[in-house]
Amino acid sequence: MSLPHRPGRPARTGRPRPLARTATVLAAAAALLSPLAGTGPASAAPQAAAADATVRVNTQAALGRLSDVARGVNAAIWDAHMNDPEVATLMKAADVGAMRYPGGSYADIYHWETHTAPGGYVAPGTGFDAFMGTVRATGAQPILIANYGSGTPEEAAGWVRYANVTKDYDAKYWEIGNEIYGNGHYGSGWEHDEHEDKSPREYARQVRAYAKAMKAVDPTIKIGAVLTTPGHWPDGVVGEGDAGDWNHTVLSQVTDVIDFVSVHWYAGGADTTAEAAMTRLTRLPGELREVRNQLDRYAGADSPRIGIALTEINTNTGGARLTARPNALFAADAFMTALENGVFTVDWWNTHNGPGQITTVDGETDYGDMGMLSSGACTGDVCQPPANTPFHPYYGMKMTRELGTAGDTMVATASSARDVSAHAVQRRDGRLSVLLINKNADTARTVDLEYAGFTPSGAAPELSRYARGDTDITDVDGDGTSASRVTVEPYGMLTVTLTPRAGTGPAASGAATPGTPKLESVTDTSARLSWAGAQGAARYLVQAREGAHTRVVGETTGTSVTLRNLPAGSTHTVNVLAADAAGRLSAPSDPLTFTTGTPADAPCAVTYHRDTSWGNGFVATVTVRNLSGAPITGWTVDWDWPTDRQSVSSGWNATFHQTGRHVRVTAPEGAGPLAPDGASSASFGFVGANDGPNPEPTVFRLNGAVCSGG
C-alpha cells in the first residue's frame, strides 16, 4: 500500500426486526385470511413461490481449515489511534487473530530500535512495545515487516532477538519488505529501496541473507517473501537485464528458505464502486491458484509447506466508496473467498486510515476512508464520527466470525444467482453455518438451501444479520424459519447456523478425519496419493470436487491409492474421507489439487515460450515437432486456456481461431509436411491478451494427439 493519510459472543445491538417468513408460512397465513377458507370443496394446497436463488452446501468437500490468524488487520505507526484501548476491544469482538506492523510502505523506512521513519511521520505512542500491548489485549499474533528498503539483515535479526528473546513476544511471522516490486525497477516507484540493484534477483539474494540472519536468532520464526499478485501489475513484466518477471525470478531462488509468500489485492479498475469491486472479486480464486501453481513449480514436493498470506486487501487504493455498506458486503465476501482458496491470513488495509473524497452512498455519508475504524478526522467541513467508531467494513469482517473460528472447516458452496454469494463452515461441534450475502441494493432474495453430507435437525436455525438499520451484527428470531429457505434483505448479510440431526454427520462416525492427501507421483494419466491414517477407519474414500459437487474416484482399506485413466494436462481437487465399520463417514480431509502431465512417449512435442509480456498482454512462440514415424501434412495444433480471460489477439505463420477457451491453429497455406522422427519443426507466434493471471496451457494436441512438453 502506498503512503497513507496522516493524522464468548459479544452483546448485540440494532433494531429488532423479524426475518421474512418462508413462502410456506406465508401461504398458510394467506389461506387463513381468505374469506373462502374452510368452505366449498377441498382444493389443492397452494404451491410455494419459487425462490430467487438456490445455494448448495457440500460438507464432504472441505476447502481447508480456518487458522488462528485467519482474520487480520494492518496497523501503522502514523496512526495516533493505533493503540487506543477501544481498538483491542473491537478487534477481539471480531475474532481478529493477526495484526500487521509497522504499516505498508512505512516498513521500508522504519527503524524499530529508534522508532523512527526518516521522511515519514511517526505518531506518539506507536512504538513496538505499545503495539504488542494491543496485540496481546486482542489475543492476536503480530505479522512484522522487516525493513528491506533502508535496513539490513543484521537490523532485522536484532528485532527478532528483542521480540522473541528479550521480550518473549513469540512473534512468528516476519515479511521481508513491503511491495518491493514498486521500487522503480519496472518504472513506477513508490516503495523506498536504497539498494543500488533493485532487481528481483537482488531481492531474492537479500531474502536469503535476511532469513539466515533472522533464523540464526530464532529458528522457529516464519519468513515471508513479497510476490506480485498474478494478473496485477507488474505481473508478467520482465525488467531490463532480467531473465524473468518478479515472481518467477524470486521463487526460483528462495523457496528453500521461506515459509510463506505475501501478496496484496486491491480490486482497482476504472469503476470504483464497491459493486464493481465485488464483481472483480470473482477473479481472486484464479489469481490465488496461480500463486500456488508458481510455488508448485519452484518448490515441488515442498510446496505445501509454504503458505500464502494476503497481507493487504481493500476495494481500491483511492477513489472508491470505502466506508459505505457495500464495502461491508465486499469485506465479508473477500475474507472468505481468500481463505477458501488457500490463504492462511487475510489482513484488511487498514485499522484507521483517514478521510478522502466525501460522497453519499446508499443514503449515508461515505468518507473515502480505507480504514475499518474512524480516525475522527475531517475533510473540509465534513468530519467523521468519533475516533474508533466502526465503519461498515468492520462489520463485514465481524460477520465472518459468525461462520466459525480457528480449527473449523470451510466447505464448498455454489449459488445459482450472481448477486447472492455463499460461504459455509462446518463447526468442530458438528453444526453448520452458512453465510449468504445479497449484493442487490433494491430487492430481497429468497434462497433455497440444499445440503450434501449434512442433515439438519428440526430445530429452528440460529440467525445473525447485518442489513440496513442494524448498528451491529444482530441476532434474529428464527421461529418459523426453515432450514431449507431463508430471505436475505437488500444489501444484507445473513448467517444461518444449523444443528445436525441426531445420529448423523461426522460426530456419529467412529472414524477420525484422515490426513491431507499428498501427491506421491503423477503421470499423464495417473496419480498416486497417500495420507495419514485415521483412527477407527475401516476404509477410505477419495472424492474429486467440481464446484460444490463431489464424486468418489477411489476407495481403499489402506492409506494410499492410485487414480487412473485421468486426462493428460487435467487439474483435480480431491479430499479423503474415512468410513467406520458401519459405513458412517468422517469429516473430509483438507484438499489437494494436482495437475497431470503429458506423455513421455507422445507422437509429438510442443514447446510454448512466452517471449515478452506487459501485464495485460504478451507475445508467445509455439514450436511443434512430429515424433511419429510418418510425415504429417496439413497439421493443426489445439489447446485450451486455463482461464476465461486469455485470448489470441493476432498471430503469424499460421491461422488462428478461438472459441471460448479453445484455440485451434492450422498450418499456413503451402506449408510443407512435418518430417517424421522430429527431423523438422514448425513454429508460429502470436500476440495474446490476458485480463488477470496468465497461466500457460497444460496440454497441446497435434492433429488430435496429445503431445509431450508445453
Side-chain angles (χ1 to χ4, degrees):
M1 177 61 200
S2 56
L3 297 185
H5 299 289
R6 295 183 179 180
R9 186 181 184 110
R12 301 289 173 73
T13 61
R15 63 180 169 92
R17 178 174 46 179
L19 185 76
R21 303 300 190 198
T22 65
T24 301
V25 173
L26 290 174
L32 290 173
L33 293 173
S34 169
L36 298 179
T39 65
S43 58
Q47 292 185 341
D52 301 304
T54 298
V55 167
R56 177 182 173 86
V57 181
N58 189 342
T59 63
Q60 293 183 346
L63 305 180
R65 282 160 178 79
L66 291 169
S67 75
D68 54 356
V69 293
R71 282 170 285 269
V73 294
N74 278 267
I77 56 174
W78 41 261
D79 172 14
H81 296 288
M82 182 181 79
N83 296 310
D84 289 354
E86 297 92 335
V87 172
T89 300
L90 287 164
M91 295 306 166
K92 188 171 185 177
D95 194 38
V96 166
M99 305 184 85
R100 185 172 179 252
Y101 176 94
S105 295
Y106 261 55
D108 287 307
I109 60 173
Y110 179 63
H111 299 283
W112 71 272
E113 194 166 14
T114 58
H115 188 50
T116 58
Y121 169 73
V122 177
T126 59
F128 177 56
D129 288 318
F131 164 72
M132 285 304 303
T134 299
V135 170
R136 288 188 157 183
T138 301
Q141 295 184 47
I143 297 178
L144 302 173
I145 317 170
N147 182 344
Y148 176 86
S150 59
T152 64
E154 293 71 29
E155 181 183 32
W159 196 1
V160 174
R161 182 175 295 105
Y162 179 79
N164 291 354
V165 179
T166 304
K167 302 296 289 189
D168 196 25
Y169 286 145
D170 192 26
K172 182 185 299 183
Y173 300 103
W174 298 78
E175 296 178 64
I176 310 303
N178 173 81
E179 296 182 0
I180 302 301
Y181 47 80
N183 61 6
H185 183 66
Y186 299 106
S188 181
W190 65 86
E191 200 72 21
H192 187 79
D193 184 0
E194 296 180 0
H195 295 89
E196 182 177 354
D197 183 352
K198 295 178 170 52
S199 69
R201 180 180 58 256
E202 175 64 12
Y203 175 71
R205 190 183 73 81
Q206 290 287 345
V207 165
R208 299 189 67 86
Y210 272 74
K212 181 179 180 180
M214 296 165 74
K215 287 197 173 187
V217 175
D218 183 353
T220 69
I221 64 172
K222 306 291 186 182
I223 297 292
V226 172
L227 295 186
T228 65
T229 303
H232 296 240
W233 188 93
D235 174 50
V237 178
V238 178
E240 184 177 355
D242 295 341
D245 65 5
W246 181 275
N247 285 10
H248 290 85
T249 302
V250 171
L251 288 176
S252 68
Q253 300 178 49
V254 304
T255 55
D256 60 322
V257 299
I258 63 171
D259 304 282
F260 67 98
V261 294
S262 173
V263 294
H264 294 170
W265 198 90
Y266 293 91
D271 186 342
T272 59
T273 62
E275 291 88 342
M278 286 187 279
T279 298
R280 286 191 285 272
L281 190 61
T282 60
R283 304 179 186 183
L284 182 58
E287 292 165 354
L288 293 173
R289 180 63 238 165
E290 181 60 12
V291 174
R292 179 53 63 187
N293 287 342
Q294 292 172 1
L295 287 169
D296 290 345
R297 174 175 177 177
Y298 292 104
D302 200 35
S303 176
R305 179 189 61 80
I306 302 174
I308 302 174
L310 187 53
T311 53
E312 289 186 22
I313 192 169
N314 209 311
T315 51
N316 213 318
T317 54
R321 310 326 183 217
L322 296 163
T323 67
R325 181 171 302 279
N327 213 20
L329 311 183
F330 172 87
D333 210 7
F335 269 88
M336 293 311 304
T337 298
L339 293 167
E340 290 164 351
N341 285 277
V343 169
F344 70 87
T345 184
V346 183
D347 308 322
W348 188 263
W349 182 272
N350 200 13
T351 302
H352 308 91
N353 206 72
Q357 180 184 5
I358 306 299
T359 57
T360 299
V361 178
D362 197 40
E364 299 177 303
T365 299
D366 186 285
Y367 297 97
D369 191 321
M370 300 181 76
M372 281 200 159
L373 308 179
S374 172
S375 63
C378 304
T379 294
D381 58 357
V382 177
C383 293
Q384 294 183 341
N388 297 312
T389 300
F391 291 132
H392 287 294
Y394 168 80
Y395 294 112
M397 176 179 68
K398 188 178 181 182
M399 179 59 97
T400 68
R401 179 189 186 278
E402 302 299 308
L403 272 178
T405 55
D408 292 340
T409 301
M410 297 170 286
V411 296
T413 63
S415 172
S416 66
R418 298 180 67 178
D419 59 2
V420 176
S421 289
H423 306 278
V425 170
Q426 178 117 56
R427 308 292 191 99
R428 286 162 292 171
D429 61 9
R431 293 180 299 155
L432 176 67
S433 293
V434 183
L435 170 61
L436 303 170
I437 303 171
N438 180 7
K439 295 176 280 190
N440 190 300
D442 304 312
T443 306
R445 288 289 185 240
T446 302
V447 180
D448 279 346
L449 295 170
E450 299 178 349
Y451 308 96
F454 181 83
T455 305
S457 72
E462 297 177 16
L463 304 171
S464 302
R465 183 195 64 211
Y466 189 67
R468 289 185 177 116
D470 292 331
T471 58
D472 202 339
I473 310 300
T474 303
D475 288 335
V476 183
D477 181 4
D479 290 344
T481 299
S482 167
S484 60
R485 179 171 286 192
V486 295
T487 298
V488 191
E489 298 184 35
Y491 265 3
M493 297 183 284
L494 185 74
T495 296
V496 182
T497 298
L498 304 156
T499 55
R501 180 183 295 172
T504 68
S509 175
T513 304
T516 305
K518 297 179 181 179
L519 183 65
E520 299 290 348
S521 61
V522 63
T523 70
D524 56 319
T525 60
S526 67
R528 182 166 180 79
L529 315 177
S530 66
W531 55 88
Q535 185 174 4
R539 59 192 175 92
Y540 297 93
L541 302 179
V542 179
Q543 293 195 137
R545 175 171 64 86
E546 297 175 3
H549 293 268
T550 53
R551 57 188 176 87
V552 176
V553 293
E555 184 174 347
T556 180
T557 57
T559 55
S560 64
V561 70
T562 299
L563 306 181
R564 304 185 187 279
N565 300 318
L566 305 176
S570 58
T571 299
H572 307 267
T573 298
V574 297
N575 300 98
V576 180
L577 296 92
D580 65 12
R584 296 169 299 194
L585 295 177
S586 71
S589 71
D590 281 350
L592 166 72
T593 297
F594 65 90
T595 301
T596 57
T598 55
D601 57 351
C604 51
V606 168
T607 301
Y608 177 94
H609 183 265
R610 193 180 304 160
D611 305 323
T612 185
S613 57
W614 50 91
N616 62 353
F618 60 101
V619 175
T621 299
V622 179
T623 301
V624 58
R625 290 181 180 274
N626 169 25
L627 303 181
S628 72
I632 295 177
T633 303
W635 51 263
T636 63
V637 174
D638 293 82
W639 72 82
D640 291 294
W641 292 117
T643 79
D644 293 326
R645 299 182 177 93
Q646 295 170 280
S647 61
V648 174
S649 301
S650 61
W652 50 92
N653 294 342
T655 301
F656 297 79
H657 180 73
Q658 180 167 339
T659 303
R661 293 187 182 185
H662 186 75
V663 178
R664 168 158 288 190
V665 183
T666 57
E669 186 175 350
L674 284 172
D677 302 320
S680 67
S681 66
S683 293
F684 55 86
F686 64 91
V687 177
N690 59 290
D691 182 10
N694 189 25
E696 297 179 359
T698 56
V699 64
F700 292 83
R701 289 177 169 83
L702 174 63
N703 288 2
V706 175
C707 301
S708 63

